[in-house]
């Protein structure tokens, strides 16, 4: 069927909107990082990332314009303060790009699975290919520089085994069984994401101009730290290594490279993305103590996200996505 016979669905408009707004936020951070990075290999990867997003941004803009939808504002040069002091080390910049590439890959696949129209499916397919290439590049460079944080190694068992009883689920009474590999994946992944959230909260709290924003960022930092400690203790109880923190990769600069709007939006994006990872951790956990831990983390993050939403709407920093027609209002206006 020709694309002209298919209008974009609400899901397709929604995914395009999210890709544009989230992409422009990350792009502003990438462009600042490019301005401070000294390592030539890291600079080259950031140059590629910025070129790739510009291509994606132009295509998303065409989709909106062709359908008669307004192009989102997202984040622009007005959210970037040029010529400011260094806030991050080169290595943190590389870590940041690696993690945000992972977020992008998951976002592209979600968007692809929600797309029907051929041109949109092929667009997200190309985005996924670009993201995979960037993932390989950032991974290889982190490995080369000795900064890639590998998950714990396992020693092979002699034979496959089957679960034989309810004791496998026990996490509170008696001897806990060792963590399963599927549970370790989620624990390590969630810790790494919380480390990025905490590090950015520390950096942003140093440079933000708004008192409300600073207080929220301090709350975000404290919450992230508590959750990192909670999840780390579970790994440590099985004598498994914990991912390293990145706080020392933040300088003491108080010179803000970004608008308060961008910094708070970015933390909110990470909070919301984290809920999906926490949900995956909950779904893959069979030990009862892990289930309870993830439930508490999800509930706490909902409370922090509500606080974030209140500040964003108070300052009119939160752009509204396209809404379904309000049929009741339309009927009253006739």
């Amino acid at each position: 069927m020709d694309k002209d016979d298919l209008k974009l669905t609400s899901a397709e408009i929604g995914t395009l909107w999210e890709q544009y707004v989230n992409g422009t936020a990350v792009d502003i951070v990438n462009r600042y990082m490019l301005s401070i990075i000294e390592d030539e290999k890291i600079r080259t990867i950031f140059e590629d990332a910025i070129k790739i997003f510009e291509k994606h941004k132009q295509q998303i803009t065409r989709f909106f314009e062709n359908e008669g939808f307004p192009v989102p504002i997202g984040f622009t040069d007005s959210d970037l303060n040029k010529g400011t002091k260094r806030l991050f080390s080169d290595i943190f910049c590389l870590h940041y790009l690696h993690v945000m590439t992972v977020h992008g890959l998951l976002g592209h696949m979600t968007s692809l699975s929600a797309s029907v129209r051929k041109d949109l499916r092929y667009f997200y397919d190309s985005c996924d290919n670009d993201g995979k290439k960037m993932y390989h590049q950032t991974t290889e460079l982190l490995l080369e520089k000795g900064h890639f944080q590998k998950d714990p190694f396992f020693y092979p068992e002699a034979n496959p085994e089957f679960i034989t009883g309810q004791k496998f689920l026990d996490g509170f009474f008696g001897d806990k069984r060792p963590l399963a590999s599927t549970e370790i994946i989620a624990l390590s992944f969630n810790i790494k994401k919380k480390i990025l959230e905490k590090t950015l909260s520390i950096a942003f709290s140093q440079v933000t101009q708004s008192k409300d924003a600073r207080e929220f960022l301090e709350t975000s930092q404290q919450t992230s730290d508590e959750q990192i400690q909670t999840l780390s203790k579970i790994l440590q109880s099985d004598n498994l290594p914990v991912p390293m923190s990145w706080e020392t990769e933040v300088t003491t600069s108080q010179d803000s490279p970004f608008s308060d709007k961008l910094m708070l939006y970015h933390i909110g994006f990470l909070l919301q993305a984290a809920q999906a990872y926490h949900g995956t951790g909950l779904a893959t956990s069979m030990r009862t103590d892990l289930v309870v831990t993830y439930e508490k983390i999800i509930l706490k993050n909902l409370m922090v996200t509500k606080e974030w939403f209140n500040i964003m709407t108070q300052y009119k920093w939160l752009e509204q996505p396209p809404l379904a027609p309000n049929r009741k209002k339309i009927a009253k206006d006739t």
Side-chain angles (χ1 to χ4, degrees):
M1 184 176 289
D2 191 271
K3 70 178 182 182
D4 293 332
D5 298 327
L6 285 175
K7 290 185 176 294
L8 291 177
T9 66
S10 56
E12 291 168 336
I13 289 293
T15 56
L16 284 169
W17 189 91
E18 287 183 334
Q19 293 280 344
Y20 188 96
V21 175
N22 293 338
T24 53
V26 174
D27 183 58
I28 292 295
V29 178
N30 284 347
R31 287 199 275 141
Y32 163 70
M33 289 181 169
L34 178 63
S35 73
I36 62 170
I37 291 170
E38 297 174 349
D39 185 288
E40 285 302 320
K41 289 186 177 180
I42 300 177
R43 278 186 61 84
T44 299
I45 292 181
F46 269 82
E47 288 170 352
D48 289 344
I50 291 167
K51 289 177 183 176
I52 288 169
F53 177 71
E54 183 59 33
K55 177 182 66 174
H56 294 174
K57 180 182 175 182
Q58 291 175 5
Q59 182 60 64
I60 294 172
T61 299
R62 285 194 290 270
F63 279 123
F64 277 115
E65 291 176 344
N66 291 341
E67 294 295 315
F69 280 85
V71 178
I73 297 170
F75 295 87
T76 66
D77 285 340
S78 64
D79 296 295
L80 177 62
N81 301 321
K82 296 180 180 179
T84 53
K85 297 177 182 177
R86 171 184 283 270
L87 186 59
F88 306 109
S89 70
D90 284 8
I91 284 297
F92 177 79
C93 293
L94 182 56
H95 278 298
Y96 172 86
L97 183 57
H98 178 76
V99 173
M100 298 313 295
T101 297
V102 172
H103 283 303
L105 281 169
L106 294 172
H108 297 327
M109 290 309 298
T110 299
S111 298
L112 175 61
S113 65
S115 298
V116 177
R117 219 169 72 176
K118 186 176 181 179
D119 58 341
L120 197 57
R121 285 187 278 117
Y122 275 78
F123 167 65
Y124 284 128
D125 199 34
S126 68
C127 290
D128 183 54
N129 289 333
D130 289 335
K132 286 186 287 189
K133 180 180 177 182
M134 184 60 58
Y135 176 79
H136 288 306
Q137 288 179 320
T138 55
T139 300
E140 289 296 329
L141 192 51
L142 283 167
L143 285 168
E144 178 185 319
K145 294 184 175 298
H147 280 272
F148 190 88
Q149 300 198 49
K150 297 180 181 179
D151 295 320
F153 291 103
F154 260 26
Y155 291 97
E157 298 286 346
N159 298 293
E161 296 183 10
F162 289 87
I163 298 170
T164 57
Q166 292 294 314
K167 190 175 181 181
F168 190 84
L169 305 177
D170 192 10
F172 290 112
F173 306 106
D175 293 331
K176 297 178 185 178
R177 64 162 172 80
L179 290 166
S181 57
T182 50
E183 294 165 338
I184 294 172
I185 292 171
L187 286 167
S188 182
F189 204 66
N190 275 290
I191 292 171
K192 290 175 183 177
K193 297 298 172 289
K194 281 295 167 185
I195 287 172
L196 177 65
E197 185 183 312
K198 178 185 175 183
T199 306
L200 287 176
S201 294
I202 291 172
F204 292 165
S205 67
Q206 289 179 189
V207 299
T208 185
Q209 303 300 306
S210 164
K211 179 182 177 183
D212 291 333
R214 183 177 300 107
E215 289 177 351
F216 170 78
L217 290 165
E218 289 171 353
T219 298
S220 172
Q221 174 189 336
Q222 180 180 352
T223 302
S224 298
D225 184 64
E226 290 171 354
Q227 293 174 359
I228 290 168
Q229 298 303 322
T230 297
L231 297 175
S232 296
K233 286 179 182 177
I234 296 172
L235 287 176
Q236 291 168 337
S237 66
D238 271 5
N239 298 307
L240 295 171
V242 174
M244 292 174 56
S245 65
W246 300 330
E247 293 97 321
T248 55
E249 305 300 331
V250 177
T251 72
T252 57
S253 173
Q254 294 178 300
D255 195 7
S256 179
F258 313 113
S259 68
D260 286 1
K261 169 189 169 183
L262 183 143
M263 291 187 286
L264 244 66
Y265 180 87
H266 205 328
I267 297 301
F269 164 74
L270 291 175
L271 279 167
Q272 293 173 61
Q275 293 292 60
Y277 301 128
H278 301 327
T280 301
L282 175 62
T284 56
S285 296
M286 288 180 280
R287 237 173 57 179
T288 51
D289 60 323
L290 296 180
V291 172
V292 172
T293 296
Y294 280 119
E295 287 176 340
K296 289 180 178 178
I297 288 175
I298 290 170
L299 181 59
K300 177 62 177 178
N301 280 2
L302 286 173
M303 295 169 63
V304 176
T305 302
K306 182 179 179 182
E307 183 180 344
W308 170 83
F309 179 83
N310 291 338
I311 296 173
M312 293 294 289
T313 53
Q314 175 187 339
Y315 286 92
K316 295 182 173 59
W317 288 340
L318 196 58
E319 191 172 350
Q320 179 176 284
L323 301 179
N326 188 333
R327 299 298 180 181
K328 291 183 179 179
K329 184 177 185 301
I330 294 171
K332 288 179 181 177
D333 290 342
T334 58

